[in-house]
Amino acid sequence: MALTSAHPAPLLLVRRLQALALTLALVAVASSARKIPDSITPISRDLYHSSDNILREIKALVARNSDRLTMDTVRASNKGYSAEMFVVTFNHAKGTVDDGSKIKIMLSFGQHGRELITSEVALSLLYILTEKHRIAGVDLSSFEKILENLVIKVVPMENFNGRKLVEAGELCDRRNGRGVDLNRNWSVDWGKKEKDYNPFEEDPGTAPFSEPEAQIMQELSKSFKPHIWVNVHSGMEALFMPYDHKNTTPDGAPSQLMRSLLENLNRRHFQDSCLVGSGGGAVGYLAHGTTTDYLFDVAKVPMPFTFEIYGDEKASTDDCFKMFNPVDKTTFDRVINKWCMAFLILFEEGLRILPGSQAASQGALDNWVPIGGEILERIADQKSGSENRQLEGLDLGMQELKTYFRLFMLSTFLLMFMFCSRISKNRNRESDEQSIA
């Protein structure tokens, strides 16, 4: 007892040193958890913009090109979690072309936080639509006329909160700010789990559209009513159409149109190197509650697609940044240029397949029928209010002319065959009657 009372200061000092040591140990453990191992590729800060810098550049771009670009900030919240989304609208010829006759295109990038390259493509595409007139030496002036007939909405960073987590060091995280996969939070076949279900990666949320980001995108699908919607991802190179939740594509002419557009794009621009088909049938696994399936089945978007723009198959599954994003400047520039050009060709193909005279109607695809292996539109007179809309005839290409010529020759042959058969039967009948007589 004397010892205790004689030496209280040293005992107190020891206890404080022990507490300090424990605190330092916990800090060290936390720091080591956040530190990226040497075997994992970090974000290439010299190539990739931060989310704040992307937003800053887009705001400046919109300010410089207010005749073509506008930007809206949309916010939503649910059960204490909030999200903010930036939507850029490109409308080239506001005063010269009636917006009601234009093709409406929606492009969404960065739905998964770790796929940074997709938002870089979005930023570059916005520059191309306004200020940059060449891609890798290719003059883009010929696309100006095409752009006059389009209204394009671009969401450069759909999962802004999730991207912030990735920038802070969570390089493998694809989810939003509260751990939900936004591409599993839509209502078509929501909540179904495959045998290989990964709860870390594919958490669908507590209910369809439980997440503010998905709510915002759903509202955009209703208010904008696009004809073409592209959900842009990385992980491989592919051009996907519905469905994701089953190993099949939709039936009928709309499905043929979608496949025709993708195959044309693949042939023209990618030399048939991209995987084309349904996400569920081509990617190797089924996904439930996806954006694309909802847009086609519920929102009735005529052409919803998922584009996968890059993937490093040799990267380790733990090396997520390298797996989903190019890490050297040569590959980075090649991916940016290749996919920006792909979107321009998509715009051209969309304008060809969805003529402006039919673009204003969400039911336009009901008037499309297959003829001779090609998809042509059945022209019908339509009225808008009290005004008659004069529709121009289809500009048939050589393929269609050849098709009609073949049909004409076939019809002529059949008519000649029927005529000759009738004459032959009549002569046989007369011959039999004479024999009986």
Side-chain angles (χ1 to χ4, degrees):
M1 189 172 187
L3 260 171
T4 305
S5 59
H7 304 283
L11 287 174
L12 182 62
L13 179 62
V14 169
R15 289 174 181 172
R16 287 180 176 175
L17 289 174
Q18 288 174 337
L20 178 61
L22 179 60
T23 301
L24 291 174
L26 291 173
V27 170
V29 170
S31 298
S32 63
R34 288 194 298 267
K35 184 179 179 182
I36 299 174
D38 293 338
S39 60
I40 302 301
T41 307
I43 296 175
S44 307
R45 304 287 180 177
D46 57 332
L47 292 178
Y48 290 85
H49 297 77
S50 68
S51 52
D52 291 334
N53 284 340
I54 286 179
L55 183 57
R56 191 176 299 114
E57 283 203 31
I58 290 176
K59 287 181 176 178
L61 189 64
V62 171
R64 293 195 303 270
N65 298 275
S66 58
D67 59 325
R68 298 185 179 195
L69 296 180
T70 57
M71 188 172 85
D72 298 304
T73 302
V74 187
R75 299 177 180 88
S77 61
N78 182 30
K79 296 182 179 179
Y81 174 73
S82 300
E84 191 173 56
M85 201 172 295
F86 310 98
V87 184
V88 183
T89 303
F90 170 84
N91 194 349
H92 178 29
K94 295 179 182 178
T96 58
V97 180
D98 176 27
D99 286 355
S101 66
K102 294 183 179 182
I103 301 295
K104 292 181 286 185
I105 299 175
M106 184 83 190
L107 307 177
S108 174
F109 302 83
Q111 188 180 49
H112 287 153
R114 65 192 178 191
E115 298 166 9
L116 273 64
I117 185 62
T118 66
S119 295
E120 296 293 334
V121 172
L123 178 61
S124 294
L125 183 62
L126 288 172
Y127 273 111
I128 289 168
L129 292 174
T130 52
E131 297 180 353
K132 185 179 178 182
H133 303 295
R134 300 182 74 85
I135 300 179
V138 178
D139 185 9
L140 303 177
S141 58
S142 61
F143 284 95
E144 284 293 309
K145 191 66 177 177
I146 293 172
L147 296 178
E148 290 180 3
N149 295 281
L150 305 175
V151 178
I152 305 169
K153 283 191 182 293
V154 177
V155 178
M157 294 178 287
E158 180 180 334
N159 186 4
F160 191 76
N161 293 341
R163 177 172 173 129
K164 285 288 188 181
L165 294 175
V166 173
E167 291 175 345
E170 301 294 334
L171 299 182
C172 285
D173 207 331
R174 62 190 245 162
R175 306 166 301 170
N176 73 345
R178 64 174 171 190
V180 174
D181 184 347
L182 295 177
N183 204 28
R184 301 293 185 273
N185 193 232
W186 297 64
S187 62
V188 172
D189 217 36
W190 175 86
K192 185 175 180 180
K193 298 176 177 62
E194 295 293 319
K195 293 181 180 179
D196 59 351
Y197 169 73
N198 184 336
F200 177 79
E201 294 222 332
E202 299 182 272
D203 186 341
T206 57
F209 302 108
S210 63
E211 303 312 294
E213 296 93 340
Q215 294 170 10
I216 293 172
M217 297 303 289
Q218 181 195 33
E219 183 57 36
L220 281 173
S221 73
K222 294 178 180 179
S223 60
F224 185 48
K225 293 183 173 61
H227 302 93
I228 298 174
W229 182 306
V230 185
N231 191 10
V232 185
H233 287 267
S234 63
M236 61 191 306
E237 284 201 342
L239 306 170
F240 290 141
M241 57 187 284
Y243 288 107
D244 295 325
H245 71 282
K246 52 187 176 181
N247 184 10
T248 185
T249 57
D251 296 326
S255 179
Q256 295 180 46
L257 280 174
M258 284 188 283
R259 181 175 288 277
S260 174
L261 187 150
L262 293 182
E263 289 178 346
N264 288 343
L265 175 59
N266 194 28
R267 183 182 65 254
R268 287 181 59 185
H269 186 57
F270 296 104
Q271 291 74 52
D272 292 322
S273 63
C274 281
L275 197 60
V276 174
S278 72
V283 77
Y285 61 88
L286 301 181
H288 308 275
T290 67
T291 305
T292 301
D293 287 358
Y294 173 89
L295 293 173
F296 186 77
D297 271 359
V298 181
K300 304 302 180 185
V301 174
M303 293 188 173
F305 301 118
T306 299
F307 285 4
E308 297 273 354
I309 66 172
Y310 175 81
D312 185 346
E313 297 178 354
K314 297 179 180 179
S316 164
T317 54
D318 296 327
D319 197 358
C320 292
F321 183 75
K322 186 177 182 182
M323 177 180 289
F324 293 95
N325 306 278
V327 296
D328 64 90
K329 183 170 178 17
T330 300
T331 308
F332 178 89
D333 290 341
R334 176 177 57 80
V335 172
I336 295 289
N337 292 335
K338 178 169 66 173
W339 283 94
C340 283
M341 180 61 77
F343 280 111
L344 294 179
I345 296 174
L346 171 73
F347 301 159
E348 183 180 38
E349 287 289 330
L351 199 61
R352 180 183 67 82
I353 289 180
L354 293 166
S357 60
Q358 295 291 326
S361 171
Q362 280 291 291
L365 289 177
D366 294 337
N367 291 327
W368 295 73
V369 293
I371 299 179
E374 294 292 322
I375 304 298
L376 303 178
E377 183 186 10
R378 186 192 308 124
I379 297 297
D381 291 335
Q382 296 182 358
K383 292 184 178 181
S384 176
S386 60
E387 296 180 355
N388 289 325
R389 179 173 293 176
Q390 183 177 2
L391 302 178
E392 297 179 355
L394 279 174
D395 180 17
L396 295 176
M398 286 301 298
Q399 181 63 38
E400 287 76 20
L401 290 176
K402 291 177 180 178
T403 298
Y404 281 124
F405 180 73
R406 289 195 295 267
L407 290 173
F408 171 75
M409 293 300 294
L410 179 61
S411 300
T412 303
F413 175 79
L414 290 173
L415 287 172
M416 290 294 294
F417 177 77
M418 292 171 62
F419 180 72
C420 293
S421 297
R422 180 67 62 85
I423 292 176
S424 178
K425 288 181 179 178
N426 290 338
R427 287 180 176 175
N428 289 337
R429 187 182 299 113
E430 291 176 359
S431 178
D432 291 342
E433 290 175 353
Q434 290 176 0
S435 299
I436 294 173

